[in-house]
Structures are given as C-alpha cells and as structure tokens.
Amino acid sequence: VQLQASGGGLVQAGGSLRLSCAYSGRTDRKYDKGWFRQAPGKEREWITAISTAGELYYKASVEGRFTISEDSAKNTVYLQMNSLKPEDTAIYYCAFRNSWSVRDAYDYWGQGTQVTVSS
C-alpha cells in the first residue's frame, strides 16, 4: 500500500488544520492506521491511531484537540487538528500497520507534511 500525506501549512496558535492521507494499492487488506510527528531535534512520536475494529487511540497531549477519522470510500485517513499550539510544530506522517503484525512498528509510511504553528 502507498500513502500520500497532505494538508500541512502555517497556522497561528489556536487555529486548525486538517491533514489527509490518501492510500492506494492493496486497499483490500486491513491495516491499523496512525499518525506520527517529528519535531525539530526530537524523535518521531506516535500521536493517534484507528484500529481495524474502528477503535481510536490518542496520545495524551493531543486528546481532545486532534481527531482521527477515515473515509474508506475515498481511501483517505484524516487528522483534524484544532486548538493548535506552537509545540505541535512538526513534520506529520501517516503510517499503516498490517493487521496481522505482532510488532508495534508500522510497516508503511507516507512522505510527511510540515505543520508550523506560530505563536
């Protein structure tokens, strides 16, 4: 499966952005779908995921502000980000994990989209 993230940009603190992750290829398979981010000088971190059963998971620092969703008809996963803070500035990546995987690591990655939040 191939992933293409988009929707990043520059926004003021308190503003909103919606990221999209369009996927193609083996869309017939089931995947856990997640978003990660990497801030300058920091390691990449997981922030949210939607399981094959539709369960939603969030990192504590984004819960209540970010929402992950999926439109399977459009083969797209979204990340709605509200009440953005300067510390949300990072490159955001979407990633999929094979449903049968026993590893925590994700198997497929998009190219990343830059989100910059100004104070």
Side-chain angles (χ1 to χ4, degrees), residues 3-119:
L3 311 180
Q4 179 80 27
S6 62
L10 174 63
V11 63
Q12 288 188 332
S16 299
L17 278 176
R18 188 177 77 161
L19 306 184
S20 299
C21 177
Y23 55 94
S24 60
R26 294 305 303 264
T27 61
D28 56 316
R29 291 182 175 177
K30 294 189 181 296
Y31 306 96
D32 295 323
K33 303 177 179 79
W35 287 93
F36 292 72
R37 68 185 180 187
Q38 186 167 20
K42 295 186 177 181
E43 293 189 352
R44 185 170 58 195
E45 63 174 357
W46 170 88
I47 54 173
T48 182
I50 180 168
S51 73
T52 55
E55 298 163 324
L56 309 181
Y57 302 91
Y58 296 95
K59 184 179 178 68
S61 61
V62 306
E63 192 162 16
R65 300 188 298 122
F66 290 11
T67 303
I68 187 172
S69 63
E70 179 179 10
D71 185 335
S72 57
K74 294 183 178 180
N75 290 344
T76 302
V77 179
Y78 300 99
L79 180 64
Q80 177 67 44
M81 305 186 295
N82 299 328
S83 301
L84 282 161
K85 304 175 182 180
E87 52 263 43
D88 295 318
T89 294
I91 300 173
Y92 283 70
Y93 300 88
C94 58
F96 285 14
R97 179 172 60 198
N98 290 311
S99 63
W100 44 260
S101 176
V102 296
R103 303 181 304 132
D104 289 336
Y106 277 63
D107 302 294
Y108 310 98
W109 292 84
Q111 86 287 10
T113 184
Q114 175 71 48
V115 172
T116 303
V117 184
S118 63
S119 57

